[in-house]
Structure formats: C-alpha cells, structure tokens
Amino acid sequence: MAESESLETITEHERILQEIESTDTACVGPTLRSVYDDQPNAHKRFMEKLDARIRNHDREIEKMCNFHHQGFVDAITELLKVRADAEKLMGQVSDTNRRLQDAGREVTAQTEEVIRCRIQQRNMATTVEKLQLCIPGEMTWLRKLMTDVNLFLFRYYSALKTMEQLENIYIPRVSQYRFCQIMAETLPKLREEIKEISMSDLKDFLESIRKHSDKIGETAMRQMKHHCLMHCHRKCSFNLVGFLFKVLTAQDLVDFSPVYRCLHIYTVLGDRETFENYYRKQRKKQARLVLQPQSNMHETVEGYRKYFNQIVGFFVVEDHILHATQGLVTRAFTDELWNMALSKIIAVLRTHSSYCNDPDLVLELKNLIVIFADTLQGYGFPVNRLFDLLFEVRDQYNETLLKKWALVFRDIFEQDNYSPIPVENEEEYKAVVSRFPFHDAEIEKQQFPKKLPMSQSVPQIYSQVKEFIYASLKFSESLHRSSTEIDDMLRKSTNLLLTRTLSSCLQNLIKKPHIGLTELVQIIINTTHLEHACKYLEDFITNITNVSPETVHTTRLYGLSTFKDARHAAEGEIYTKLNQKIDEFIQLADYEWGMAESDGRASGYLMDLINFLRSTFQVFTHLPGKVAQTACMSSCKHLATSLMQMLLDTELKQISMGAIQQFNLDVMQCELFASSEPVPGFQGDTLQLAFIDLRQLLDLFMVWDWSTYLADYGQPTSKYLRVNPSTALALLEKMKDTSKKNNIFSQFRKNDRDKQKLIETVVKQLRSLVNGMSQHS
C-alpha cells in the first residue's frame, strides 16, 4: 500500500513539475498549493525533487557554456534560426487566431492547443527580446568576439574592444544568466592570452629588424648617395634622375604592425609603461650588438660598409618609431642612444683606420663616412663629431699617401742615370718641357741634339708631386668645406710631401755608397731646378682651388727650404767624398824618409791626386760658383792638413834633409795646382793660402833660418808667422837624431864642429817658447 502511495506521489510530483515548467506563472500558486494539500511530508519530497530538477538544469547549462567556443557560436546560430522559425510560427499563430475568430466557438476541440501555442509564443517573444539585447546590428557580439579571437589572429585589439563592450554594456543586461557569468570569468584569461601572443609577435619583430638592419641601412645610404649625385648634376639631369629614382621609406621595407598592435593592446590593458620599458631595453641591447665591429673590419671596404649599414638601419627604424607612435620612444631616448653610439663609432673608426696602409681603402672609408653622416643627418641626428673625425682620417690618408709616394720617389731615384737629359729633336724637347716647366734662353738657342741640365728624375718627381696633389684633393671632396679650407689642406699636405717625404728620400739618396761625386753634382743641379719649379706647383694648386695666392691666410710651399737643405747636404757630401778620395791617394804615399837627396820630381801619388782634382773640378762647372769654390778650397785645405800630419806623425822618428827636399817638391806641385785656378772665381792667391803653413815650415828648414825665426817670433811681420814653435820643435827633433853621416850635420862638422851645440841651443829655445805658450794658455 505504501509503495503504491509513493509511486502515486512521485507521478503527481512529476506532473506538477511539468505543469510549473509549461504553465503560466499566474497558475503556479494553485499548483503548488496542491502539494501541501496532499499527504503529510509530501512537500519535503517535492522540494527534493525540485532541487534535483534545478541541479540537472544547471548541469545542462554548465555543459553548454563549457562547450567549445565554436560550439557555443553554433548554438547561438541555431538560436537565430529558432528566432526565424518563431517569427514564422507567430505568423502561423496569427493566421490561426483569425481562423479561430472566424470559426467562433465552433472548433472548441482546438481551444487547449491554441492556448498552449499562445504560451509558447509569449515565451519565445521574451527569449527573442532578451537575445536582441545581445545582438547589436547585423552580427551578434558573440560571433564578433569568436571571429576576432579565433579566426583572425591579428585582430587582438578589436577583440579587446569587443570584450570591453561585453563587460560594460551587454553582459550587465543579461547578467542573470549563468552562461554570462561564466563568460565574464573567461574574459581576463583571454586578455592575458592576447597579451602573451602580442608580446611574442613583438619579439619576432625585434629579431627580424635585427637581421634586416643592414638591408634597411643599405637602402637608406644608397638613396642618400643618389640624392647627392642628383644634387651634383641638378642642372643637367635633375628631371631624369628624379623620374627614375623612387624613394623608399622604412615603412616600405619593414612591417611595423606588430609594434603598433602590441602598443595598442598594452595601452588598452593599462600596461603601456611595461611595454615601453621592455621595448627600450631590448633596443639598447641591440644597439650594443650593432656597434660591435668585426675584428678584421679594416681589411676591406665591405667590412666598413656592413658596419655602417647596420647602424643606419637601426636608427632609421628608431626614427620611424619616434614619429609613428605616441611616446613609445622619445627624442631624449633616441638622442641618448645616438650619443652612446656616436662615441663608440668614433672610437672604432679611429682604431681601425689606423691599421689601414692602403690610401685607396682610406679614401673609400672617407666616402662611406660622408654618406653615413649625411644619411643620419637627414634623419635629424647631429653628426658634427663625425666630420671632425674625418680630419683625423684625413691625416691618416695623408700618411698612407706619403708612404706610397716615398716608394715612388725611391724608385725614381734608383732608376735615374744622373746625367743631363739628351734631346735629339724638337718633339723630344717639347715632351720634356710639357712635363716640367723648364725655360733657358741659351739652351733654347742651341742646335739639336742638345742636353738639358737636369737628369730624367726631375720631370718625373715634378709630375708625381702633381699626382700627389690630385690624390690629396680627392679626400677634400664632399667634406662641405670652403675653397679656402681645401686650398689650405692641399698646401699643407704638399708641404709634408716636400719637407718630409721627398727631403728624406733625397737625404737617404745622398748618403748611399754608390752615389759618387758626379751623381752628387747632378743631384745639386736637380734640386736647383726643382726649387725653381715650386712656384709652378703653387700656381697648379691655385688653378685647382681658385684661391688667390695673395690671400692672407694662404699657406706657402716649403719646397725652397727642402731643396736647399738637400742641396746643402749634397754639397757637404761632396766635400766629404773629396776628402775621402784625397785620403785614399795619401795612403798610397811611400816616402823614403832617410833619403840623402830628392828625386828631383814630385811623387807619383801626388801627381795622380792633382790630376784627379783637376778633372773633378772640371765637372763642377755646372754647379753654382760658390759650391765649386768651396769644394776646391775644402780639398786644398784637407790636402795641406794631411801632408802636415804626415810630417808630424809620431810614428815617424827620423827625417832626412833629402826627404824634406822631396816633400818640398810635392808641396810645390800643390801650390802650382792652386795657382792654376782649377775653379774660377778665386781672387788673388786665396787658394794658395791653403798651403801657407806648410810653405813657411818647409822654407824655415830648407834655408835653416832659425835666427830670423827666433828673432821675429811673435811679430806680425814675421817671415815665419804661420810656423808654430811646437811644430818646428817636433820636426827638428826628428832631424837631430839622424846618424853622423847625415849631410846636414856632416856639413856643420866640416865648417864648424861647434854647430852641433847651436842646434841644441835652438831646440832649447823652441822648447822655451812652447813652454811659454802652454803657461799663457
């Protein structure tokens, strides 16, 4: 019986639940009252049944909400279809109502069905009304959200805006539904997911521009180079070049959308500062990597070009970000980056350029620096320090040029024959004077064939100096300097070439062992003509720069001093080599110091020496007069000194009168040579005075005129004024110790045996004079 009652109760409760779910809310009261009118405690079992039914519905709703988003969209789509069916059904219901009204109460059997349809119509209308709150326009916000997030991966910002509308407008309208609460809880997770995805896109972007910076920079620098060319040829080809040249910007080469997208997303999420700090930190790291050069960068121009391309590409991107975004980077940030980069760039270039020994490579580096500076200046970055650096690079360029031309000059000097240039006809003459400004009226009057005084190295040196000026000028181009500054640069670099490089080459040439007297004479002649040509080099620079040499600040060429110094060095070397040659002849002297009588003629070595000097001084006719005179005087003095030293040599212990007579004959030949005017221009007996000390000493011993010497010693009119007492004493002692068979002393013994005592007396007196001189000194 109890089981029967329980089954009936369950069936009744199920009926009541169905009636509550399907009937009008106004009828719910009586229906629920029937539960309490039933058996005792039946309402508790009904409540349990009702809770179980609610939990079952909640599970169904939760399953529906947890279903995949796409499934949810599909469900909403089905709902839209239901809406259409409902509208269709409403139309059918209207038709039915009309038919019912027309039919009246004749169709009483269909009343209950009509009532049920009306209830469904009302419920569906309510549902449609609620759904319409969530459907703005033609597309539902749910479809928009799911499309933004799942179908179009790059519409994160739009998705965020949609979620914002959901939270602020639509979800509050239907917040009583559980699926809306679940959706509200899901939105923050979607935001974080979008945030992570956009940051990943930014990292990919940063890695991409790191790899493509050199391409961006290469394009920017190429465009600047073309712009400079277009500017230079503006008059002749501006329209054509402007037509053919297409300007590419960073936006054309790089997709910046990841940056914009990420910036918008972080701005919407209220975390813009985090994004800005991350971007700037990463770009600083990339800047340090870009500024790190390769160790062998200085070996080729491509190493420098790649280095510059990467730097330009980096800052072109930053400039675009600066102008295309609102505060992602600031001018202060880019200025800080540039100042840091500029210091590093200057240090790198200063170091690596110092390794360059090839002037062509240094010149290409200069051109790259100019394009590099002009490019960045076009983007608003200050580059004055780069142009200041170019002055240092210019010094390095000049150093490499000087080293190169030092080898050029050396080869010219080594290949020169140091003989006057022969010209057979007018064509050969014009060929020489076209390369070197030579003008001599006397030579021009001569008939062909004839010789020009300088050797072949002179026009070659002159031409190479001009080539150096052209090479130096190449560096001054595109430096944005005035003509006066360029003129000053050219003159200073040319002065360095003349005063340091060419001067050093000449000094080394003069000291070379194979350069003899003839070559030295030719070198002196060559330097004289090169000195005269300096004026034409100044005119050459003036024609290039169009700066008048009369300008106050114009630097003069120092070639005059260079060639004068070289000429003086050559002259000194002539004097040295002449003396060396004289010494070689003197070493051939072979006097018999104990001979009884002389041979009656001069020694052979001395005659050979005089013949050598005579022929040598004939070559000196092409030299300036003072040079030849100085060389001749120097040679005679050195010869006289060498002969005197030969007499006074401490290793020579004894000298006979016969040897003195022979020596006197040799000195007489020297005096004859001096009086023959081997070099024109000497006045009177100036050259003979080189041998005056020897002459007075030999006369004193040949005449044996000691009484006069001792009596007149110290008097300005003394016959033997140039004879020093110590010199006379040294020579007299060499003669005193000869054997008794010596003619001098045997003569004394024949005439007067007491003469020996006279010699001793002379010796004592000479010693007294010598001692007196030492005491006074």
Side-chain angles (χ1 to χ4, degrees), residues 511-555:
K511 297 294 183 181
K512 287 184 178 296
H514 71 277
I515 299 296
L517 291 170
T518 303
E519 288 79 8
L520 289 171
V521 171
Q522 188 62 56
I523 289 173
I524 292 175
I525 297 172
N526 290 348
T527 53
T528 302
H529 286 283
L530 287 172
E531 179 182 338
H532 294 160
C534 285
K535 173 184 177 298
Y536 297 95
L537 289 176
E538 289 192 338
D539 294 341
F540 177 72
I541 295 176
T542 299
N543 292 333
I544 292 177
T545 61
N546 200 27
V547 175
S548 174
E550 284 74 24
T551 304
V552 177
H553 301 291
T554 299
T555 304

XYZ file of all heavy atoms in Angstrom, residues 511-555:
359
model
N 123.341 59.801 -49.128
C 124.209 59.000 -48.268
C 124.519 57.614 -48.830
O 125.337 56.886 -48.257
C 123.554 58.835 -46.896
C 123.349 60.144 -46.138
C 124.663 60.778 -45.746
C 124.441 62.056 -44.935
N 125.730 62.703 -44.575
N 123.883 57.246 -49.926
C 124.104 55.904 -50.469
C 125.542 55.766 -50.971
O 126.088 56.690 -51.592
C 123.122 55.614 -51.608
C 121.696 55.370 -51.120
C 120.785 54.999 -52.259
C 119.387 54.709 -51.765
N 119.331 53.527 -50.875
N 126.153 54.609 -50.736
C 127.566 54.426 -51.116
C 127.814 54.542 -52.612
O 128.898 54.989 -53.017
C 127.874 53.006 -50.604
C 126.836 52.722 -49.566
C 125.620 53.446 -50.010
N 126.864 54.124 -53.425
C 127.108 54.122 -54.871
C 126.976 55.506 -55.495
O 127.229 55.673 -56.693
C 126.160 53.139 -55.560
C 124.730 53.613 -55.571
N 123.869 53.438 -54.506
C 124.007 54.272 -56.530
C 122.697 53.945 -54.801
N 122.749 54.457 -56.030
N 126.529 56.485 -54.724
C 126.406 57.854 -55.239
C 127.772 58.531 -55.124
O 128.254 58.818 -54.028
C 125.338 58.655 -54.464
C 123.971 57.999 -54.617
C 125.307 60.096 -54.931
C 123.455 57.987 -56.032
N 128.384 58.747 -56.287
C 129.711 59.365 -56.311
C 129.639 60.863 -56.514
O 128.568 61.478 -56.476
N 130.803 61.425 -56.791
C 130.875 62.876 -56.955
C 130.050 63.351 -58.154
O 129.377 64.380 -58.096
C 132.335 63.298 -57.104
C 133.185 63.149 -55.826
C 134.657 63.368 -56.168
C 132.734 64.144 -54.780
N 130.128 62.612 -59.240
C 129.365 63.001 -60.425
C 127.877 63.006 -60.137
O 127.154 63.943 -60.524
C 129.664 62.035 -61.588
O 131.073 62.021 -61.841
C 128.921 62.459 -62.837
N 127.392 61.963 -59.439
C 125.972 61.892 -59.093
C 125.591 63.019 -58.135
O 124.512 63.608 -58.255
C 125.648 60.539 -58.460
C 125.659 59.358 -59.419
C 127.078 58.874 -59.727
O 128.026 59.353 -59.073
O 127.237 58.016 -60.603
N 126.469 63.313 -57.188
C 126.178 64.390 -56.244
C 126.072 65.733 -56.952
O 125.211 66.552 -56.633
C 127.257 64.443 -55.162
C 127.238 63.292 -54.146
C 128.473 63.345 -53.270
C 125.983 63.356 -53.288
N 126.947 65.952 -57.895
C 126.879 67.192 -58.671
C 125.546 67.280 -59.397
O 124.884 68.329 -59.418
C 128.054 67.270 -59.661
C 127.856 68.440 -60.629
C 129.376 67.412 -58.925
N 125.119 66.162 -60.000
C 123.848 66.163 -60.721
C 122.673 66.374 -59.766
O 121.685 67.040 -60.105
C 123.665 64.853 -61.486
C 122.466 64.835 -62.411
C 122.575 65.892 -63.502
O 123.550 65.921 -64.257
N 121.590 66.777 -63.570
N 122.769 65.792 -58.550
C 121.700 65.973 -57.557
C 121.573 67.444 -57.185
O 120.462 67.980 -57.045
C 121.976 65.105 -56.314
C 121.772 63.618 -56.653
C 121.070 65.513 -55.152
C 122.176 62.674 -55.551
N 122.702 68.121 -57.030
C 122.665 69.554 -56.712
C 121.988 70.321 -57.845
O 121.159 71.212 -57.615
C 124.088 70.071 -56.454
C 124.630 69.459 -55.163
C 124.100 71.595 -56.371
C 126.068 69.819 -54.872
N 122.332 69.978 -59.076
C 121.704 70.637 -60.231
C 120.208 70.348 -60.253
O 119.378 71.244 -60.481
C 122.369 70.173 -61.538
C 123.847 70.603 -61.554
C 121.632 70.721 -62.745
C 124.638 70.029 -62.696
N 119.839 69.092 -59.984
C 118.421 68.709 -59.986
C 117.626 69.478 -58.933
O 116.526 69.980 -59.208
C 118.284 67.210 -59.741
C 118.764 66.384 -60.920
O 119.005 66.907 -62.009
N 118.911 65.089 -60.710
N 118.166 69.546 -57.724
C 117.435 70.234 -56.651
C 117.284 71.721 -56.950
O 116.291 72.348 -56.554
C 118.158 70.046 -55.312
O 119.530 70.446 -55.433
C 118.099 68.587 -54.865
N 118.252 72.289 -57.649
C 118.136 73.694 -58.041
C 116.949 73.910 -58.965
O 116.158 74.852 -58.795
C 119.429 74.166 -58.724
O 120.531 73.975 -57.845
C 119.333 75.630 -59.095
N 116.777 73.026 -59.942
C 115.652 73.156 -60.876
C 114.322 72.852 -60.184
O 113.307 73.502 -60.483
C 115.865 72.223 -62.065
C 116.925 72.703 -63.016
N 116.709 73.706 -63.921
C 118.225 72.331 -63.176
C 117.812 73.937 -64.617
N 118.752 73.111 -64.189
N 114.307 71.869 -59.271
C 113.075 71.571 -58.539
C 112.681 72.733 -57.634
O 111.493 73.020 -57.456
C 113.251 70.289 -57.713
C 113.276 68.982 -58.512
C 113.658 67.817 -57.615
C 111.922 68.727 -59.174
N 113.681 73.379 -57.090
C 113.401 74.551 -56.258
C 112.728 75.646 -57.066
O 111.746 76.261 -56.633
C 114.700 75.056 -55.642
C 114.525 76.292 -54.784
C 115.845 76.789 -54.243
O 116.814 75.994 -54.159
O 115.924 77.986 -53.907
N 113.213 75.885 -58.264
C 112.621 76.902 -59.129
C 111.204 76.519 -59.555
O 110.387 77.397 -59.854
C 113.494 77.104 -60.371
C 114.839 77.684 -60.040
N 115.926 77.581 -60.884
C 115.283 78.367 -58.954
C 116.969 78.175 -60.335
N 116.600 78.655 -59.159
N 110.922 75.212 -59.577
C 109.604 74.751 -60.031
C 108.527 74.867 -58.967
O 107.339 74.685 -59.262
C 109.690 73.296 -60.501
N 108.910 75.157 -57.715
C 107.909 75.264 -56.642
C 106.873 76.346 -56.940
O 105.705 76.233 -56.565
C 108.597 75.541 -55.306
S 109.412 74.099 -54.605
N 107.293 77.373 -57.592
C 106.365 78.449 -57.950
C 105.241 77.912 -58.844
O 104.069 78.291 -58.696
C 107.130 79.559 -58.669
C 106.239 80.654 -59.238
C 107.047 81.661 -60.015
C 106.132 82.721 -60.658
N 105.196 82.119 -61.613
N 105.609 77.040 -59.763
C 104.609 76.483 -60.674
C 103.676 75.514 -59.940
O 102.513 75.366 -60.316
C 105.300 75.781 -61.838
C 106.116 76.732 -62.685
C 107.482 76.903 -62.459
C 105.520 77.482 -63.697
C 108.234 77.775 -63.230
C 106.255 78.359 -64.471
C 107.618 78.513 -64.230
O 108.357 79.391 -64.982
N 104.184 74.846 -58.896
C 103.315 73.982 -58.092
C 102.289 74.817 -57.332
O 101.124 74.412 -57.202
C 104.152 73.151 -57.111
C 105.008 72.040 -57.718
C 105.849 71.371 -56.645
C 104.130 71.004 -58.429
N 102.696 75.952 -56.838
C 101.741 76.833 -56.174
C 100.670 77.304 -57.152
O 99.484 77.363 -56.813
C 102.473 78.031 -55.567
C 103.316 77.675 -54.354
C 103.789 78.906 -53.605
O 103.823 79.982 -54.234
O 104.122 78.789 -52.417
N 101.081 77.639 -58.359
C 100.108 78.040 -59.383
C 99.165 76.884 -59.719
O 97.968 77.089 -59.973
C 100.828 78.509 -60.654
C 101.623 79.787 -60.429
O 101.336 80.493 -59.446
O 102.548 80.061 -61.224
N 99.698 75.677 -59.716
C 98.895 74.495 -60.006
C 97.793 74.327 -58.956
O 96.620 74.063 -59.285
C 99.802 73.268 -60.028
C 99.090 71.969 -60.244
C 98.560 71.651 -61.477
C 98.942 71.064 -59.202
C 97.896 70.445 -61.670
C 98.284 69.863 -59.392
C 97.764 69.563 -60.629
N 98.131 74.498 -57.682
C 97.137 74.400 -56.612
C 96.123 75.526 -56.728
O 94.906 75.327 -56.536
C 97.829 74.418 -55.237
C 98.710 73.167 -55.061
C 96.802 74.496 -54.112
C 99.503 73.152 -53.777
N 96.589 76.716 -57.061
C 95.694 77.860 -57.214
C 94.661 77.609 -58.316
O 93.476 77.935 -58.168
C 96.504 79.125 -57.538
O 97.397 79.399 -56.452
C 95.588 80.313 -57.751
N 95.086 77.019 -59.417
C 94.167 76.725 -60.512
C 93.119 75.700 -60.107
O 91.978 75.717 -60.598
C 94.947 76.226 -61.732
C 95.801 77.313 -62.352
O 95.487 78.500 -62.244
N 96.891 76.916 -62.983
N 93.486 74.789 -59.203
C 92.537 73.760 -58.759
C 91.496 74.342 -57.824
O 90.293 74.095 -57.965
C 93.296 72.605 -58.064
C 94.144 71.825 -59.075
C 92.312 71.660 -57.363
C 94.969 70.730 -58.448
N 91.954 75.127 -56.851
C 91.051 75.619 -55.807
C 90.465 76.984 -56.116
O 89.518 77.409 -55.455
C 91.798 75.706 -54.475
O 92.903 76.622 -54.603
C 92.335 74.336 -54.067
N 91.059 77.679 -57.080
C 90.609 79.022 -57.444
C 90.714 79.997 -56.272
O 89.901 80.908 -56.114
C 89.160 78.990 -57.942
C 88.817 80.235 -58.767
O 89.687 80.854 -59.375
N 87.549 80.605 -58.770
N 91.727 79.775 -55.412
C 92.006 80.666 -54.295
C 93.291 81.414 -54.597
O 94.332 80.797 -54.829
C 92.138 79.887 -52.968
C 92.542 80.831 -51.829
C 90.825 79.186 -52.642
N 93.231 82.729 -54.595
C 94.389 83.543 -54.952
C 95.522 83.349 -53.956
O 95.299 83.302 -52.737
C 93.994 85.019 -54.994
O 95.137 85.825 -55.195
N 96.756 83.193 -54.431
C 97.898 83.036 -53.511
C 98.157 84.281 -52.684
O 98.876 84.212 -51.694
C 99.069 82.739 -54.459
C 98.647 83.291 -55.781
C 97.160 83.140 -55.829
N 97.569 85.396 -53.073
C 97.753 86.627 -52.307
C 96.847 86.679 -51.080
O 96.913 87.615 -50.294
C 97.466 87.861 -53.170
C 98.578 88.205 -54.155
C 98.609 87.236 -55.336
O 97.563 86.624 -55.625
O 99.677 87.109 -55.958
N 95.979 85.657 -50.923
C 95.108 85.619 -49.754
C 95.939 85.614 -48.480
O 96.979 84.957 -48.398
C 94.213 84.366 -49.793
O 93.484 84.358 -51.018
C 93.236 84.364 -48.627
N 95.450 86.312 -47.463
C 96.248 86.499 -46.238
C 96.631 85.168 -45.601
O 97.759 84.965 -45.157
C 95.454 87.362 -45.224
C 96.232 87.497 -43.916
C 95.163 88.736 -45.828
N 95.672 84.248 -45.566
C 95.901 83.003 -44.845
C 96.427 81.879 -45.735
O 96.490 80.728 -45.312
C 94.605 82.542 -44.176
C 94.038 83.534 -43.208
N 94.646 83.831 -42.007
C 92.941 84.330 -43.287
C 93.931 84.747 -41.362
N 92.891 85.066 -42.120
N 96.787 82.193 -46.949
C 97.286 81.149 -47.843
C 98.635 80.635 -47.355
O 99.552 81.406 -47.071
C 97.431 81.692 -49.274
O 96.149 82.112 -49.734
C 97.991 80.626 -50.194
N 98.742 79.315 -47.253
C 99.992 78.681 -46.823
C 100.952 78.603 -48.002
O 100.576 78.204 -49.104
C 99.705 77.259 -46.284
O 98.749 77.350 -45.233
C 100.986 76.623 -45.770
